Amino acid sequence: MMYSAAVAPLFASLTMRWKCVIGYLLTDHAFALAMARFASGESAGHPHRRWHYLGAGSLMWIVWQISITAGAIIGLKVPASWSLEFLIPLVFIALVAPALTTRAHLAAAGCATAVSLAAVSLPLKSGLLLAALAGVAGGLIVEHFAQTAARSRAA
Amino acid sequence: MNTWQTWLTLLGMGAVTFAIRMSFILLPADAKVPPMLKRALVYVAAAVLPALIAPDVLLRGTVTATINGWGFDALRLAAAILAGIVAWKTRSVFATLGTGLGALLLMRCFLLP
């Protein structure tokens, strides 16, 4: 739901049909790619961003379907000592590290990390939600202080 | 659970996740989003992804280090930090995956008894 809210402004002007496609393809990785490319920086507001998203999203959909079938068939034969499950956090690291561009983003990451560890035993993964809220709050607070500091320097 | 009940459950779960994903995307272009919410959404990615990463790195694996009675896998942490540096420098997913997993397996070979 938070992903949906965050990408919504990028695709607000599209037709209903496009929005359904975007919603269907909205995964961690499609979200991270879209935000990294179009939320800020030189490509922000690019007119063809829906095509970029469609390409990335459908490629991931195809790879996902193939991989999940392969995983179900051969997954049990791969020895646990290879630690392939460590690839999951690594993919997320690859997606988030380049996005941590400002102190406020770093603060968001730090707060979310701390809360996710402290709240890991809460039921139904509600620790993740708490951590996300804490991270967003941390980012906003640091942004607020950075703006106040910049304003007082300017004055 | 018989076959059609399983299919019904799968379809239901699909419908619910789809509905959740569509929730905000469906808002019309001229919908008024409170400016505070807009500012907050900038930090969603920077918050959610680390919150997914941290427990996977620090609360799993074999305990190889202990700080104040809290045990964790120092090799996983070291590999994750290295991967983070590579991701930051190269922006390449494959370089990050290779470095992280390679570092973890190498360290396991050479550092663990």
Side-chain angles (χ1 to χ4, degrees), chain A residues 20-34:
Chain A
C20 285
V21 173
I22 281 161
Y24 181 72
L25 293 175
L26 185 59
T27 56
D28 291 317
H29 310 98
F31 165 75
L33 274 181

Side-chain angles (χ1 to χ4, degrees), chain A residues 28-29 31-41 91-110 139, chain B residues 41-50 53 83-93 96:
Chain A
D28 291 317
H29 310 98
F31 165 75
L33 274 181
M35 292 305 279
R37 184 163 292 250
F38 300 118
S40 57
V91 171
F92 289 130
I93 288 172
L95 289 172
V96 77
L100 300 178
T101 45
T102 69
R103 273 186 203 169
H105 285 85
L106 282 173
Chain B
L41 292 174
V42 173
Y43 298 108
V44 169
V48 173
L49 295 174
I53 296 163
I85 295 169
V86 171
W88 171 263
K89 292 269 182 211
T90 67
R91 298 172 157 253
S92 156
V93 175
T96 308

Side-chain angles (χ1 to χ4, degrees), chain A residues 1-9 11-14 16 19-28 31-32 35 53 80-102 104-106 108-110 112-114 116-117 120 127-128 131-136 139-140 143-144 147, chain B residues 14 17-31 33 35-61 70 75-94 96-105 108:
Chain A
M1 191 181 289
M2 284 187 284
Y3 289 169
S4 176
V7 294
F11 303 110
S13 56
L14 299 181
M16 185 71 177
K19 285 181 174 181
C20 285
V21 173
I22 281 161
Y24 181 72
L25 293 175
L26 185 59
T27 56
D28 291 317
F31 165 75
M35 292 305 279
Y53 182 94
S81 63
W82 290 9
S83 299
L84 289 189
E85 87 289 346
F86 191 56
L87 289 173
I88 300 170
L90 287 177
V91 171
F92 289 130
I93 288 172
L95 289 172
V96 77
L100 300 178
T101 45
T102 69
H105 285 85
L106 282 173
T113 300
S116 73
L117 293 174
V120 77
L128 177 61
L133 292 174
V136 169
L140 284 175
E143 182 194 286
H144 176 79
Q147 281 176 350
Chain B
T17 40
F18 184 60
I20 293 172
R21 274 148 216 248
M22 292 306 288
S23 54
F24 281 86
I25 294 176
L26 279 185
L27 287 177
D30 52 359
V33 181
M36 188 67 192
L37 180 63
K38 228 177 211 172
R39 277 174 54 202
L41 292 174
V42 173
Y43 298 108
V44 169
V48 173
L49 295 174
L52 289 169
I53 296 163
D56 251 7
V57 171
L58 290 171
L59 303 176
R60 281 166 152 232
W70 172 63
L75 302 188
R76 264 176 180 258
L77 179 60
I81 292 171
L82 197 63
I85 295 169
V86 171
W88 171 263
K89 292 269 182 211
T90 67
R91 298 172 157 253
S92 156
V93 175
F94 287 109
T96 308
L97 296 184
T99 312
L101 192 61
L104 180 68
L105 295 178
R108 259 205 211 132

